[in-house]
Amino acid sequence: MNRTDANIICIIQMDKEKSLNVTSTTSLSPAAINACRDWYASAAGQITLARVQRIVSGMSTDIFGYYALETGVLAGKHSFLEESRIASQFSLGAVEGEPVSVRGTPEHLPFSLSNLDLVIASHALDCTDHPHQVLREIERVLVPEGHCILIAFNPISFRGLGQLRYLFKPHARHCQFYSTFRVREWLSVLGFEVCEIVSTGFCPVFNGHYVFKQDRWLDRLGSKFRLMTGNVTIIHAQKKVSNMTPLLPSRKVKPVLRSGMVVNPGVGRFVRKESNDAK
């Protein structure tokens, strides 16, 4: 993948095809990006990241198409498309100096309408002030029947409980966690069908390390029974477009009027025309 290939499909159409209610600047704060990346850089975060990689690879292994995009916090730091069958893969990042294909923001993707087959957004909803705009942009750039994979922190988890310390000082909170029920509702409004939801990383973590060394059984238990209480949640959704086909009448309707007949409004019945010869 090179810059030339990226320019072929990543056609920036800021003047021609701006999506509705877009913001020209990103709301991904450097503090939120650093906090998320620092968590994944820890020992427990690396284990969780490896599990997320396996889950995303399993979701995207049967997705075919021409173009795939990675965006979000981990774009430029980690690639989830290593095992994808889509040949043309691009990464979009907002941090200067990182090895990404395209420079841009999740709130305003520099792609034309219905151009991508797969979009993977890592914590783009957690670290933005405009989560609805991020989802609208993903829906705009995806082709019909295209796929998106959302990676986000789970508020109903041990990591979500850690957000309670910002209950009385929300201005100090870098990330906002959204429940799967809320994200499912947003996706359904945009016409997405949720294919699969998987949660991983069930052990409590403090300062990047597991609280208890013997609590790995929680990961085995959560993976076995597919619990929704993991620290990270992966949502796989597909864009659905309704195709309306006009229905033809099942039978031919016989015409009321036949050739050579006129309606006599006086008697309410059909009367045959008199020919000129008869006169």
Side-chain angles (χ1 to χ4, degrees):
M1 178 181 62
N2 51 43
R3 183 71 64 174
T4 304
D5 294 335
N7 292 334
I8 294 176
I9 125 142
C10 298
I11 304 174
I12 302 178
Q13 299 182 348
M14 301 296 184
D15 296 330
K16 297 182 179 180
E17 290 189 25
K18 281 189 177 179
S19 59
L20 299 177
N21 302 323
V22 299
T23 55
S24 57
T25 59
T26 181
S27 62
L28 296 178
S29 64
I33 295 176
N34 293 333
C36 182
R37 289 181 174 180
D38 290 344
W39 188 85
Y40 278 106
S42 63
Q46 286 293 308
I47 296 176
T48 304
L49 182 61
R51 292 172 179 167
V52 173
Q53 175 67 65
R54 290 196 298 268
I55 294 172
V56 173
S57 298
M59 291 179 175
S60 60
T61 185
D62 293 331
I63 298 177
F64 300 93
Y66 295 100
Y67 306 110
L69 171 70
E70 285 185 283
T71 184
V73 173
L74 299 180
K77 286 292 185 179
H78 182 82
S79 177
F80 293 99
L81 294 171
E82 295 177 353
E83 300 182 12
S84 175
R85 301 186 182 184
I86 300 178
S88 299
Q89 304 173 3
F90 310 97
S91 59
L92 183 142
V95 180
E96 295 291 340
E98 292 189 345
V100 294
S101 305
V102 188
R103 190 74 59 193
T105 64
E107 296 94 339
H108 192 193
L109 298 176
F111 294 87
S112 58
L113 181 69
S114 301
N115 214 352
L116 303 178
D117 300 282
L118 171 63
V119 175
I120 298 179
S122 56
H123 301 282
L125 302 181
D126 302 336
C127 301
T128 181
D129 296 332
H130 309 285
H132 304 86
Q133 177 63 29
V134 173
L135 294 179
R136 282 195 293 265
E137 281 293 279
I138 294 176
E139 188 275 336
R140 181 182 66 85
V141 301
L142 279 177
V143 299
E145 306 298 324
H147 297 260
C148 77
I149 298 177
L150 305 175
I151 304 171
F153 288 122
N154 184 12
I156 310 175
S157 63
F158 287 108
R159 178 162 175 75
L161 292 177
Q163 294 292 98
L164 295 177
R165 65 180 181 272
Y166 302 115
L167 185 61
F168 299 102
K169 46 180 181 179
H171 60 278
R173 180 172 50 195
H174 301 307
C175 302
Q176 177 67 43
F177 300 170
Y178 301 99
S179 65
T180 55
F181 304 100
R182 196 171 183 181
V183 178
R184 284 179 67 113
E185 182 180 358
W186 293 344
L187 291 172
S188 63
V189 171
L190 294 174
F192 282 92
E193 178 183 341
V194 176
C195 304
E196 187 179 7
I197 299 178
V198 181
S199 188
T200 186
F202 300 92
C203 298
V205 178
F206 182 75
N207 287 337
H209 300 279
Y210 289 110
V211 177
F212 306 103
K213 295 182 179 180
Q214 304 297 330
D215 59 357
R216 300 296 179 87
W217 61 272
L218 288 174
D219 286 329
R220 296 191 296 268
L221 181 67
S223 301
K224 180 178 180 180
F225 294 99
R226 301 180 68 86
L227 302 179
M228 290 292 105
T229 57
N231 295 323
V232 179
T233 300
I234 303 96
I235 302 176
H236 177 200
Q238 186 178 18
K239 178 181 176 180
K240 293 294 184 179
V241 178
S242 59
N243 298 322
M244 300 182 63
T245 304
L247 299 178
L248 300 177
S250 58
R251 60 184 180 87
K252 293 184 179 180
V253 180
K254 295 182 179 180
V256 178
L257 296 179
R258 292 176 295 176
S259 58
M261 303 293 293
V262 296
V263 177
N264 189 344
V267 297
R269 60 186 178 85
F270 294 110
V271 179
R272 185 178 299 278
K273 290 182 179 179
E274 296 181 1
S275 61
N276 295 330
D277 299 339
K279 293 180 180 180

